Amino acid sequence: MTPPDSTPPLLQIRGLKMHFPIRQGMLFKRPKLCRAVDGVDLTVHHGETVGLVGESGCGKSTLGKCVVRLLEPTEGAIHFEGFNLAPMGCRQLKPHRRHIQMIFQDPVESLNARHSVGQILEEPFVIHRQGDREERKKKALALLDKVGLPAASYDRFPFEFSGGQRQRIGIARALALNPKLIICDEPVSALDVSIQSQVLNLLLDLQRDLGLTYVFIAHNLAVVKHISDRIAVMYLGRIVELAGADELYRNARHPYTRALISAIPEPNPRRERERIVLTGDVPSPINPPSGCPFHTRCPHVQDRCRVEVPQLRPAGPGHEVACHFDL
Amino acid sequence: MADAPILEVRNLVTAFDTDAGQVIAVDGVSFQCHRGRTLGIVGESGCGKSVTALSIMRLLPQPMGRILGGEILFDGRDLAQATPEQMYQVRGGKIGMIFQEPMTALNPVHTIGRQLAEVFLLHKTRDRAEALRLAIEMLKHVGIPSPEVRVGEYPHQLSGGMRQRVVIAMALACRPQLVIADEPTTALDVTIQAQILDLMQQLQAELGMSIMLITHDLGVIAEMCDDVVVMYGGRIAESGPVEAIFENPSHPYTRGLLDSIPRLGGQRKSRLRIIDGMVPALKDMPPGCRFQNRCPFAVDRCRKDQPAIEQVAPGHAVACHRWREVVAGAAVSATS
């Protein structure tokens, strides 16, 4: 799913780093850094969905927050429609913000409990000074309809809704200003199985109808594969493999991706499979291992992996992998 | 399976007193857990799966939670009638429990060693040094590297996966006959989940205990369990051997659940089948079958009468008036 080269990509991330300083108790001690995102390049084209998968602490959410500029990246560039958002200040960012929106994981915490649904949905219009009161209400009601909530929800408050409905409110709010790009940060992880599929269907319908572009962040590879065109696998702040969704599932090249796929329990009791069980835990991004970040858990580790950081290299059409070896 | 099941729950009814009056969370649930086997209980939030586990352990929040009726026969004894003193012997001794969130299951101000040794001091020995030695041995058993060092550490110094290993060590410390695991891997990453599930299977093979595994993840059920109970709205929708549940699901809810999960090998960007609506709150469950307002098969009868448990095949039971149509409908859609 690579569109013709003539159209410039919607989003182009180059060498993005986000390091958080860690304050330590002792005076005059050199501050340590948490390298949450450590040099990420990623291109997102118009109308596609790019999935970001990885385990907790791999930096996928931090990357998403950098793109919507809830965080100011330490280094690197975020080109969105020709503008580099990374170094911009608040005022410069404001005209761009309406084009990039975010859907959050926890629909309870991401909605203001003291505001009615109407207020929540109209706030984007107020901030960007669009329409008068009547117009705003009309738009809010249209948004409710778009995400499949009854118009009566307008005067109700978030606590009156179930998790799935609250996530719909969050989606409606993200859609308010007709954004081009939506960062979905674990939008279905907090929902029950039967509600998950409703929300995934809604996201697919909206993308088809409105031509949206998604960056879909989740830890569940099955969910990411279902909704994405391309998938980037992250480990300790870096992208270790990037490929088309089907290609990644069928022909994973990085030992971490393979382990991740094999670790997913599949709802088929008769499936005979070889599970690659990784030993040990994910190392801390405060003190990442030297060389390849995955070498401490990799079943194929060799001496070179301990010293040299592998860079992303082509491994087939649209397929890149950061591993020294062809496994 | 000639011998008696290790655990048999008969007609369990558990209620909570709330501001809005009494709410029945578990309504007439019966199932058996056989020796050396793994029973899975699956369902969405609020279906009563955790309350069932807490009822068996007699750990319902007090004073709101109450067992209103039914029997919980563990090794032939009715735990529903047991005194608190008798329950002390059962909990941790004969039945071990693994909780979802290992951080809240462990006491943050005591060392791992002290918490683990406490189990041995309660059930096995009076000698503190001996208890600590047993604790170290147990940590080694669940695959914790350098256990002699770890016993002196606090829960916050361990990773999520290591903490869950400690919780498993505590649950298995006294070689229980039954382990109840309530969402043991939900808070963990997939690669760590794979480690923990492997560990549980390996320990079961070694120690021969029965496991009652509560989860919302059908993948975990398929991988771990021999028998499955599907719960909805405080009642059992369907129960049977794992192959029967996955290959011949006979309750519309089970079918809906299985159809609605995205699968790795599935068609990308296709619309997922969905279950309409959402789980009603316990206090306003519909009359008749509790699934009727979301069920594509519902007819008038479903809105009036609670369906009885019927047998689909030996060991495979379903609570649905129209299960024959459900199964036949599946056959039609499979051929077309």
Side-chain angles (χ1 to χ4, degrees):
Chain A
M1 190 61 203
T2 0
D5 288 328
S6 54
T7 49
L10 181 66
L11 176 75
Q12 204 162 17
I13 301 170
R14 286 289 163 261
L16 192 77
K17 290 187 180 177
M18 182 73 231
H19 294 174
F20 297 98
I22 302 208
R23 201 174 288 192
Q24 287 198 318
M26 297 293 277
L27 210 57
F28 305 126
K29 204 167 180 182
R30 235 180 65 204
K32 277 191 182 172
L33 290 176
C34 173
R35 299 166 196 274
V37 176
D38 206 16
V40 164
D41 296 319
L42 186 67
T43 303
V44 181
H45 297 282
H46 287 273
E48 73 169 345
T49 303
V50 173
L52 280 182
V53 279
E55 298 177 282
S56 25
C58 74
K60 53 191 194 301
S61 291
T62 308
L63 182 60
K65 284 182 185 158
C66 285
V67 174
V68 288
R69 276 303 312 277
L70 288 173
L71 291 171
E72 190 180 343
T74 320
E75 221 181 288
I78 301 166
H79 292 288
F80 179 75
E81 296 195 302
F83 297 95
N84 183 5
L85 305 182
M88 284 188 185
C90 257
R91 204 163 289 170
Q92 284 172 294
L93 269 173
K94 194 170 172 188
H96 301 289
R97 285 214 191 266
R98 49 175 300 187
H99 298 304
I100 310 179
Q101 292 292 322
M102 190 152 182
I103 298 168
F104 296 91
Q105 169 170 6
D106 190 329
V108 183
E109 281 174 35
S110 59
L111 300 176
N112 190 330
R114 292 161 187 269
H115 284 187
S116 71
V117 171
Q119 281 173 297
I120 289 170
L121 294 183
E122 284 175 19
E123 200 173 8
F125 303 120
V126 176
I127 291 171
H128 288 269
R129 297 168 203 267
Q130 288 187 3
D132 52 27
R133 187 167 294 186
E134 229 165 277
E135 239 168 281
R136 291 201 287 260
K137 177 163 183 179
K138 224 161 85 189
K139 280 184 175 170
L141 290 173
L143 285 170
L144 284 175
D145 183 54
K146 219 181 254 177
V147 298
L149 287 174
S153 320
Y154 183 85
D155 291 312
R156 290 164 67 189
F157 286 83
F159 75 88
E160 298 175 72
F161 295 88
S162 69
Q165 290 172 318
R166 270 185 271 207
Q167 200 54 291
R168 283 173 194 264
I169 299 169
I171 293 171
R173 178 179 60 184
L175 292 175
L177 298 164
N178 291 321
K180 293 178 177 145
L181 175 67
I182 297 184
I183 312 286
C184 312
D185 190 2
E186 303 263 12
V188 297
S189 322
L191 306 177
D192 267 323
V193 194
S194 71
I195 308 299
Q196 247 184 33
S197 51
Q198 295 177 2
V199 172
L200 287 174
N201 279 349
L202 174 67
L203 287 172
L204 284 171
D205 291 346
L206 291 169
Q207 180 169 47
R208 196 192 52 220
D209 299 344
L210 308 172
L212 295 169
T213 306
Y214 292 139
V215 171
F216 192 95
I217 302 169
H219 65 278
N220 183 335
L221 193 53
V223 170
V224 172
K225 196 215 148 211
H226 181 77
I227 199 163
S228 304
D229 299 298
R230 293 191 299 138
I231 297 177
V233 181
M234 288 188 72
Y235 190 79
L236 274 188
R238 292 165 195 271
I239 291 178
V240 295
E241 188 161 12
L242 177 70
D246 290 316
E247 164 80 3
L248 187 91
Y249 167 60
R250 277 198 299 262
N251 194 13
R253 304 291 292 274
H254 198 283
Y256 177 63
T257 314
R258 288 186 187 165
L260 206 57
I261 291 173
S262 86
I264 299 171
E266 236 185 279
N268 176 4
R270 287 195 206 271
R271 188 173 74 137
E272 293 289 328
R273 52 97 170 261
E274 234 175 283
R275 184 147 73 189
I276 311 166
V277 176
L278 293 177
T279 50
D281 290 307
V282 184
S284 153
I286 300 169
N287 194 7
S290 63
C292 174
F294 186 58
H295 87 247
T296 53
R297 301 172 79 197
C298 184
H300 309 284
V301 63
Q302 299 189 23
D303 286 343
R304 187 179 168 195
C305 307
R306 298 195 180 90
V307 281
E308 199 181 324
V309 181
Q311 301 299 324
L312 274 178
R313 60 180 173 86
H319 193 156
E320 289 176 77
V321 62
C323 180
H324 292 305
F325 306 101
D326 282 309
L327 296 167
Chain B
M1 278 173 291
D3 50 351
I6 183 75
L7 177 75
E8 182 170 5
V9 174
R10 284 189 200 154
N11 265 320
L12 179 69
V13 181
T14 301
F16 286 93
D17 293 324
T18 67
D19 295 340
Q22 195 178 57
V23 165
I24 309 276
V26 174
D27 190 10
V29 161
S30 308
F31 59 84
Q32 299 180 339
C33 188
H34 297 283
R35 284 172 207 270
R37 284 164 74 94
T38 303
L39 170 76
I41 299 196
V42 66
E44 299 177 285
S45 14
C47 73
K49 55 192 194 302
S50 289
V51 176
T52 304
L54 292 176
S55 305
I56 295 169
M57 294 295 270
R58 297 278 305 276
L59 285 174
L60 290 168
Q62 296 299 325
M64 302 87 79
R66 236 191 351 243
I67 295 175
L68 289 188
E71 291 166 291
I72 302 164
L73 297 173
F74 174 72
D75 218 3
R77 261 186 28 220
D78 187 4
L79 297 186
Q81 308 296 335
T83 63
E85 288 72 27
Q86 288 169 323
M87 282 311 293
Y88 285 135
Q89 292 305 312
V90 172
R91 278 193 294 258
K94 295 191 174 115
I95 306 182
M97 186 142 184
I98 302 170
F99 297 90
Q100 170 172 0
E101 185 32 78
M103 197 59 211
T104 47
L106 294 171
N107 190 332
V109 302
H110 291 310
T111 60
I112 301 296
R114 180 166 172 180
Q115 296 184 51
L116 197 44
E118 188 188 2
V119 186
F120 293 109
L121 286 172
L122 277 172
H123 295 284
K124 276 212 164 147
T125 169
R126 284 165 186 276
D127 180 1
R128 282 186 177 277
E130 167 76 358
L132 195 64
R133 195 189 57 75
L134 288 169
I136 292 171
E137 200 172 284
M138 201 63 219
L139 285 179
K140 196 184 281 170
H141 214 109
V142 295
I144 289 189
S146 47
E148 304 80 8
V149 184
R150 292 296 187 184
V151 284
E153 292 188 351
Y154 292 88
H156 74 91
Q157 292 171 292
L158 305 181
S159 67
M162 284 296 156
R163 274 182 223 139
Q164 197 58 293
R165 283 174 193 263
V166 173
V167 173
I168 291 175
M170 284 170 77
L172 298 185
C174 294
R175 306 284 153 105
Q177 292 162 287
L178 172 70
V179 172
I180 299 180
D182 189 358
E183 304 264 11
T185 57
T186 307
L188 305 175
D189 277 317
V190 260
T191 59
I192 308 297
Q193 164 169 291
Q195 292 176 2
I196 296 294
L197 294 181
D198 259 27
L199 174 70
M200 286 173 61
Q201 277 177 329
Q202 175 205 326
L203 290 170
Q204 182 178 33
E206 257 172 59
L207 309 175
M209 76 256 184
S210 315
I211 298 179
M212 184 174 138
L213 178 69
I214 297 166
T215 177
H216 67 276
D217 188 333
L218 287 159
V220 172
I221 291 279
E223 209 138 286
M224 295 286 291
C225 299
D226 303 301
D227 307 289
V228 185
V229 168
V230 183
M231 287 187 71
Y232 184 85
R235 291 187 188 150
I236 290 180
E238 187 168 2
S239 65
V242 67
E243 290 87 4
I245 297 289
F246 280 83
E247 282 157 23
N248 187 26
S250 307
H251 196 285
Y253 177 63
T254 318
R255 299 196 65 84
L257 274 186
L258 284 167
D259 284 343
S260 67
I261 33 178
R263 294 175 191 238
L264 265 179
Q267 179 65 39
R268 275 193 312 116
K269 297 216 166 186
S270 56
R271 284 186 66 84
L272 294 164
R273 296 259 211 101
I274 59 166
I275 303 176
D276 278 328
M278 54 190 171
V279 185
L282 279 173
K283 62 176 172 16
D284 34 46
M285 278 291 166
C289 172
R290 295 193 158 174
F291 189 56
Q292 45 110 328
N293 53 355
R294 303 177 75 192
C295 181
F297 289 88
V299 291
D300 279 347
R301 187 176 165 208
C302 307
R303 297 185 187 99
K304 279 185 286 215
D305 308 332
Q306 180 182 339
I309 307 254
E310 293 181 53
Q311 214 181 39
V312 180
H316 184 183
V318 63
C320 176
H321 293 303
R322 305 195 66 206
W323 68 268
R324 285 180 186 84
E325 285 91 332
V326 175
V327 173
V332 170
S333 66
T335 50
S336 64

